[in-house]
Amino acid sequence: MMQKLGLPSYQYTEIQGEGDEHSGYYTRKINLKTLLVAGCVLFGVFGFARHVFPSQVDEEVPAFNMLEGSSNADRACTFRECEKAQCDHDVAPFVCLIHNGGPHMGCSGTEWTPESCDDQCDLSNCDSIPIPDDVESCESIECGDEWCMGGQTCPGDAAPFQCMNGSARFGCSADKYHWVVSTSENECSECCDTTSCSYNN
């Protein structure tokens, strides 16, 4: 005999009845709303327990915390950070790298406060940082005859490193690492050394 309870539901389950005068299976509806409410209650209790009784892992706070702000104000910038920053190393050596979860790259003569910057570094020693072996550059990359004869090449004596593809196309730089390290792929994905053009030699 099949028996249905009068509760709103989207699922049926069948259980076998025992000790009843009618043998067979009974169908019981599961109230979906009740299950959701129970799940929320359990989730709240679990979160409260973690807050009141923090685990060993929770006590190991990482060095960088977005809510508390920067904890590495005296950190020296890496080579790539030095290349990306457009700050005067003598006047404004403190560069804010990240704020509110996104890139910032602001310059300051004093250390940034935790409220105004999430991650910062010091550019003071950039000139003495050794260049990593895996860093590529535009130096000695030939532009090719078609590019060289295009009439918009960079002067080989002042800023010979030229962007060939991207939003910075035709841009010139005296820094051989600029188009490789300091810019994104959208800005410049290919560069060359215009001293490779015969008239620039």
Side-chain angles (χ1 to χ4, degrees):
M1 177 179 180
M2 305 295 289
Q3 179 181 356
K4 295 184 178 180
L5 301 181
L7 294 175
S9 175
Y10 299 96
Q11 182 179 356
Y12 292 89
T13 60
E14 292 186 349
I15 60 172
Q16 184 173 3
E18 295 181 0
D20 189 90
E21 60 181 355
H22 301 286
S23 61
Y25 290 87
Y26 295 90
T27 301
R28 177 177 298 173
K29 288 186 177 181
I30 297 176
N31 191 329
L32 185 59
K33 182 181 294 185
T34 301
L35 289 177
L36 291 175
V37 171
C40 293
V41 171
L42 289 175
F43 183 81
V45 171
F46 178 75
F48 177 78
R50 283 181 58 85
H51 178 74
V52 177
F53 307 105
S55 64
Q56 181 72 19
V57 176
D58 291 337
E59 293 176 357
E60 298 176 0
V61 180
F64 173 70
N65 190 316
M66 291 287 293
L67 296 179
E68 296 179 2
S70 176
S71 59
N72 53 0
D74 58 349
R75 177 177 71 82
C77 295
T78 65
F79 172 77
R80 286 179 170 81
E81 290 168 343
C82 288
E83 282 291 316
K84 288 181 178 295
Q86 302 298 313
C87 307
D88 187 310
H89 298 181
D90 297 321
V91 178
F94 298 100
V95 56
C96 177
L97 304 171
I98 299 175
H99 185 51
N100 287 336
H104 188 274
M105 304 309 292
C107 309
S108 175
T110 58
E111 293 182 4
W112 295 82
T113 63
E115 294 77 21
S116 59
C117 182
D118 299 323
D119 189 23
Q120 63 180 304
C121 64
D122 188 349
L123 298 164
S124 299
N125 298 319
C126 285
D127 293 338
S128 61
I129 295 179
I131 300 172
D133 295 334
D134 62 342
V135 175
E136 299 178 351
S137 74
C138 301
E139 188 176 34
S140 300
I141 298 180
E142 294 187 1
C143 298
D145 293 339
E146 183 178 354
W147 185 268
C148 290
M149 299 302 294
Q152 298 188 58
T153 55
C154 300
D157 56 343
F161 307 110
Q162 188 164 29
C163 176
M164 302 177 70
N165 191 27
S167 60
R169 180 179 169 89
F170 299 118
C172 306
S173 177
D175 182 0
K176 62 183 179 181
Y177 299 106
H178 178 72
W179 301 119
V180 179
V181 179
S182 304
T183 58
S184 66
E185 283 288 316
N186 291 332
E187 291 177 277
C188 188
S189 59
E190 185 181 4
C191 64
C192 70
D193 185 346
T194 59
T195 59
S196 64
C197 297
S198 59
Y199 58 83
N200 269 337
N201 293 327

